[in-house]
Amino acid sequence: MRGESTPKTVSRKALFTVALLCAWAAFWFPTYAAQPRAAARAPGAETRAAGLLAGRELGTTPLLDDLRELCDGIGGRPTGSQACERAVDWAVGRFRAAGVNSVWTEPYTIPGSWAGGHDQAECLAPVEFPVRVAAAPSTAPTPGGHALEAPLVNAGDGSREAFARLGDRARGSIALVLSPEMKTEADLFAEYTRDAPLLAAAQRAGVAALLVQSTQPHLLLYRHPMGLGGEILPLPTAIVAREHAARLARLADHDEVRLRLDLPSRVGGPFEARNVVAEIRGREKPEEIVLIGAHLDSWDLGTGAEDDGVNAALVIDVARSFQALGLVPRRTVRFVLFTGEEQGMLGSAAYVLRHAAEISHHVLMIAFDTGSGRITGFYLNGRERLRRPVDQALAAVAGLEATDDTLEAIDGTDNFDFLISGVPNLVGRQEWAPYLPNYHAESDVYDVVNGRQARTNAALAAVLVWGMAERPEPPASHQTRAEVEKLLRDTKLDEQMKGLGQWDDWVAGKRGVSK
């Protein structure tokens, strides 16, 4: 998700468009809903249906009620937790209540389980004070299930050179790594790509545990996975509150610091998780699939509102609008809520493998995963041929000004395994507030969501899905493995994949469906 989207004030044109679409929906809906199948074939029906979809989403729908139920009633939803299982059952129920008849779950296996405990830390010397910490997912607990007491050393930026300068002092210590404050999405990706070399340097130095300074200010804690793929990493690791880390670093630069650290994380073996799938069968080309997806799982310090509960609710609401308006698209529309995303997009990877025989029939995959920030356009993920179909599909809501599309290809969300399988794919390009300041954090709760913008995003999503499902021809062709590899190199997505530990699996054919 490189390439910063600058927040903009909503224009008068956009506000006028919202009002017009709501009025249009109020006027047309009773007649259109009474004879949906005939209307779907009438002249100008595609544009009228797009306006009705947008107007309905911009009006009063249960989207925010669903989000409140998911966040407040279920809470944080790490894959493998009871909360995530309740969320899966809840989502099935919401799709069925929306009138979607074809709804099911698809199981898959994650190689290792991880659950956080009541993490604690305390500076014992040269002065005593409590230290706020949160264990990093996919990392081991402190040894023996007990608190660890050890000297703390300042490992600077955590580079190999920084650990080398510590020499023998690093062995058996708790190493503190300092981080720049996160202000852009580039900073977020930099935090992930440093993980593998950081862990390698720390293990080479023989440290007993690792503390990584929070990139968020004001004592804010968050879950930061140190590895993606579901495997448990052997070094106990935690995020430490930014201000506490800075104090510890100053103390360690002038005195001997001793720390007590207790990370009672629970780890286990393979377990079964589930994706949620709902489908509206196409009237003319049912074998061709347009897929809209978001991820249902989240981390557990907050309640997963921005990441990605609001977009899970969006996907459900788009399905609800299709059903309420009686719209039967030319192609099949499949609505998927993935789990396992936070472990490295494992749910969407499993979906691609499970549907390998029909993956070439997926004419488009659209993912939403950046909270409730305004959609300014879409990541085309290296596929220039998608630009015109996107513009055509969104022409009915041009006043909402979602035209800032980019060829840039991104990693880190559920489009990834579709992309490397050659499927044309889009990701919503959204303004980064309020998503980024609350990423994986205690503060990612219902209150931070921009409800008005979430409805506008749902309007855009509904119109885009309808337009792509209705167009006479697929929006772009499938790519061969050779074409995908060229795309990866041309867009420098291969560098992200190497930094996130995905490249070797791609080369070995363990991820993606090749042809």
Side-chain angles (χ1 to χ4, degrees), residues 63-96:
L63 189 157
L64 294 177
D65 291 335
D66 286 349
L67 179 62
R68 179 184 52 77
E69 287 182 18
L70 181 62
C71 293
D72 292 347
I74 296 177
R77 308 169 295 281
T79 303
S81 67
Q82 291 184 359
C84 190
E85 288 299 295
R86 290 197 301 273
V88 167
D89 293 337
W90 171 86
V92 169
R94 299 314 293 157
F95 277 122
R96 286 178 176 159

Side-chain angles (χ1 to χ4, degrees), residues 33-52:
Q35 44 183 351
R37 293 182 185 274
R41 294 168 174 78
E46 290 181 25
T47 300
R48 187 156 60 250
L52 288 167

Side-chain angles (χ1 to χ4, degrees), residues 202-340:
Q203 289 176 302
R204 190 181 301 111
V207 303
L210 194 60
L211 292 183
V212 179
Q213 184 182 29
S214 170
T215 58
Q216 301 278 28
H218 311 310
L219 299 176
L220 191 62
L221 293 176
Y222 56 92
R223 295 289 193 203
H224 175 69
M226 295 298 292
L228 300 175
E231 294 84 5
I232 306 301
L233 303 171
L235 186 64
T237 304
I239 299 296
V240 57
R242 185 166 191 80
E243 294 78 5
H244 289 177
R247 182 181 181 185
L248 288 169
R250 290 191 297 270
L251 287 171
D253 288 343
H254 295 91
D255 212 331
E256 292 184 3
V257 176
R258 193 163 184 84
L259 198 79
R260 177 187 294 120
L261 178 65
D262 188 11
L263 305 177
S265 307
R266 300 183 301 279
V267 299
F271 68 94
E272 186 177 278
R274 295 182 291 163
N275 294 324
V276 181
V277 185
E279 185 176 273
I280 297 175
R281 192 83 170 153
R283 68 178 190 273
E284 292 180 13
K285 299 184 176 183
E287 75 284 355
E288 295 186 7
I289 299 165
V290 173
L291 188 154
I292 175 174
H295 70 89
L296 187 59
D297 63 314
S298 77
W299 290 119
D300 57 337
L301 295 184
T303 58
E306 284 288 297
D307 189 17
D308 190 30
V310 66
N311 288 316
L314 175 153
V315 170
I316 293 170
D317 213 54
V318 170
R320 182 184 288 122
S321 287
F322 271 68
Q323 289 297 120
L325 292 167
L327 293 174
V328 182
R330 177 175 278 120
R331 294 181 178 85
T332 293
V333 176
R334 194 168 284 178
F335 307 85
V336 185
L337 299 181
F338 301 104
T339 58

Side-chain angles (χ1 to χ4, degrees), residues 288 290 331 363-365 383-390 424 426 468-469 471-477:
E288 295 186 7
V290 173
R331 294 181 178 85
V363 301
L364 185 69
M365 190 276 181
R383 305 295 296 272
E384 176 62 35
R385 284 188 58 187
L386 286 172
R387 191 182 301 274
R388 183 173 174 81
V390 170
L426 300 168
M468 293 300 189
R471 59 182 291 111
E473 300 298 328
S477 61

Side-chain angles (χ1 to χ4, degrees), residues 177-184 187-192 194-195 212-224 239-243 245 436-437 439-441:
V177 173
L178 302 180
S179 308
E181 187 174 339
M182 181 173 65
K183 297 181 179 179
T184 69
D187 298 332
L188 174 61
F189 274 91
E191 188 173 2
Y192 275 94
R194 78 167 177 176
D195 286 345
V212 179
Q213 184 182 29
S214 170
T215 58
Q216 301 278 28
H218 311 310
L219 299 176
L220 191 62
L221 293 176
Y222 56 92
R223 295 289 193 203
H224 175 69
I239 299 296
V240 57
R242 185 166 191 80
E243 294 78 5
L436 199 62
Y439 178 75
H440 287 188

